[in-house]
Amino acid sequence: METNAQKMLKSLSPRKVILPVLVGLGAIIYLMLSDDNMDFQEVKQAFSSLNPWWVGAALIVLILRDAGYMYRIRHLTSKKLSWNSSFFVILLWEFASAVTPSVVGGTAVAVFIMNREKIVFGKALAYVMLTALLDNIFFVVASISVILLAQGDIFPPEAKSIPLLGFHLNLEQVFLISVLLIATYTVFMGWGLFLSPKTFKRFLGYLTKFSFTKRWRRSAIRSGNEMIIASREMKGHSYTYWVRATFSTLMIWSARYLMLNCLINAFTHFNLLDVSFDELYEQFLIFSRQIIMWIVMLVSPTPGSSGTAEYFFGEFFEEFLGVGIVLAVALLWRLLTYYAYLIVGISILPKWVSKVFRTRKPSVQ
């Protein structure tokens, strides 16, 4: 097994799950024990009266989201990935993202996984970059849209300030920093991928010619070369190709956010058959705040946003559930959207390794 493969598989090691699990569970336990208003009897009662139909709806939406991921990656590869290969690519990609800091993500591992599934390196790199670009465009456009529609209700009024880089910032400020970073990165990547990859490479070279940036020059040149390769693979796609890629991205993220609506409805016993305008607006706020929360979480330095996600969940959704119950729901939410992928990743990784390393070699053409 080649050195690069060993390095990639090391990043997928089951031992990697220990730190994010300890951080995430530790954050929940700490928040529960440090909250004077925490009533464990109330939490027990809330779980005992849980609406099973909404829990079932949450699971269905979760499955639809993963199916959407598989459809999108299969579509982006022009069906060169089978459904079986798409299954392994997406779930191992999710696993890689869960054990690496959100600000880093699992993109390098995703390229490696696709390459092992007989997608040539240049194409695999292009598809991963395109996926990230589509997701980031969604984040920026959707977040601006919901802020305009919510008319000032999108940020919790009682949220605590957050220490960041020596400053204490409110949620609006943290969001603004995050979305500006994402937008800048998206414009930068779009420019390199679709407009001028060679200029992109020269720009990276210019940025790393100074004495204090020379340490990153080799990595910058490699990134520039990879962008040129990826850009070449993006040419010649039809209008339908882009429409389907965009639609599937909308479906994926909408399903991800609607899953929490279903979970919260399970605890609040929201009745879809007898609903008022105010209740519909509340559902819109729950959906919208997830978009904002996700952007804030993207700059988390912890693996899979462990600790960060649990903390921000309480800040954003306490008013819908109450002080005590919100942390219990946060644990259930993370169980379905995070810990489940750690378990699935550990379960399918040996089978995938056996499949691709015994019968296949990476595509390099």
Side-chain angles (χ1 to χ4, degrees):
M1 190 181 297
E2 61 269 36
T3 304
N4 185 55
Q6 291 174 334
K7 182 180 178 182
M8 289 295 104
L9 287 177
K10 186 177 179 181
S11 67
L12 289 170
S13 170
R15 288 178 294 181
K16 292 275 188 178
V17 309
I18 298 174
L19 177 61
V21 168
L22 290 178
V23 171
L25 294 179
I28 287 286
I29 293 171
Y30 171 78
L31 290 170
M32 285 182 170
L33 295 179
S34 62
D35 194 334
D36 295 334
N37 296 314
M38 188 69 193
D39 186 341
F40 288 97
Q41 189 62 37
E42 182 185 2
V43 172
K44 181 180 178 182
Q45 184 178 353
F47 272 91
S48 65
S49 61
L50 204 61
N51 187 318
W53 296 106
W54 279 116
V55 175
L59 293 173
I60 291 172
V61 172
L62 189 64
I63 293 170
L64 288 175
R65 189 206 71 162
D66 288 335
Y69 270 127
M70 293 172 201
Y71 169 82
R72 183 174 68 171
I73 199 63
R74 192 164 182 261
H75 166 69
L76 293 180
T77 63
S78 300
K79 298 184 178 180
K80 289 183 175 64
L81 279 179
S82 65
W83 283 108
N84 181 264
S85 293
S86 298
F87 170 84
F88 281 107
V89 168
I90 292 303
L91 292 182
L92 289 175
W93 191 347
E94 286 282 334
F95 177 69
S97 298
V99 295
T100 53
S102 296
V103 70
V104 176
T107 52
V109 178
V111 174
F112 166 72
I113 295 168
M114 292 180 68
N115 189 220
R116 280 289 172 179
E117 290 289 350
K118 295 186 175 180
I119 302 296
V120 297
F121 174 79
K123 289 183 181 294
L125 182 65
Y127 299 143
V128 170
M129 285 186 176
L130 179 57
T131 297
L133 198 62
L134 288 168
D135 289 343
N136 287 339
I137 291 172
F138 173 86
F139 295 147
V140 174
V141 174
S143 63
I144 294 173
S145 299
V146 297
I147 285 175
L148 293 175
L149 291 171
Q151 300 179 352
D153 294 329
I154 201 74
F155 293 100
E158 304 299 326
K160 305 180 186 71
S161 62
I162 302 154
L164 184 66
L165 300 176
F167 300 94
H168 277 78
L169 307 177
N170 58 35
L171 279 179
E172 292 95 324
Q173 292 168 328
V174 175
F175 165 77
L176 184 60
I177 292 171
S178 299
V179 79
L180 285 176
L181 288 173
I182 295 168
T184 302
Y185 173 81
T186 302
V187 170
F188 198 49
M189 293 296 291
W191 168 46
L193 194 58
F194 295 108
L195 298 178
S196 183
K198 292 182 179 179
T199 306
F200 176 90
K201 178 183 176 180
R202 287 196 294 269
F203 180 67
L204 290 181
Y206 172 78
L207 290 179
T208 54
K209 76 174 187 178
F210 305 102
S211 58
F212 59 92
T213 59
K214 277 187 177 179
R215 70 180 70 179
W216 298 293
R217 186 169 182 81
R218 182 177 297 178
S219 177
I221 296 302
R222 184 175 66 248
S223 297
N225 290 332
E226 290 176 348
M227 182 64 77
I228 292 172
I229 295 170
S231 179
R232 192 183 305 135
E233 299 296 341
M234 283 291 96
K235 295 178 180 178
H237 291 299
S238 66
Y239 174 77
T240 304
Y241 178 89
W242 297 110
V243 170
R244 290 185 177 181
T246 302
F247 178 78
S248 59
T249 300
L250 289 172
M251 188 194 84
I252 288 164
W253 287 102
S254 295
R256 180 187 282 271
Y257 299 143
L258 283 171
M259 199 279 291
L260 181 56
N261 282 76
C262 293
L263 274 187
I264 291 179
N265 291 341
F267 283 88
T268 58
H269 302 283
F270 174 72
N271 186 356
L272 193 59
L273 299 178
D274 182 20
V275 59
S276 66
F277 175 81
D278 288 342
E279 288 172 319
L280 282 177
Y281 183 69
E282 185 176 273
Q283 295 300 311
F284 165 74
L285 277 184
I286 293 171
F287 182 91
S288 300
R289 284 189 181 182
Q290 277 194 87
I291 299 174
I292 305 302
M293 183 180 69
W294 198 266
I295 289 175
V296 173
M297 284 165 49
L298 281 175
V299 294
S300 171
T302 60
S305 296
S306 290
T308 307
E310 289 81 1
Y311 172 80
F312 281 123
F313 187 93
E315 293 292 294
F316 275 98
F317 300 106
E318 182 180 306
E319 69 178 88
F320 303 107
L321 292 160
V323 176
I325 297 175
V326 70
L327 295 175
V329 178
L331 182 59
L332 182 58
W333 170 67
R334 288 292 274 175
L335 179 64
L336 293 176
T337 61
Y338 180 67
Y339 297 119
Y341 291 100
L342 295 178
I343 296 169
V344 171
I346 291 173
S347 301
I348 69 173
L349 181 61
K351 182 178 180 181
W352 180 78
V353 169
S354 176
K355 180 181 75 164
V356 300
F357 284 101
R358 289 182 182 178
T359 61
R360 301 178 185 178
K361 292 184 178 180
S363 298
V364 295
Q365 297 178 350

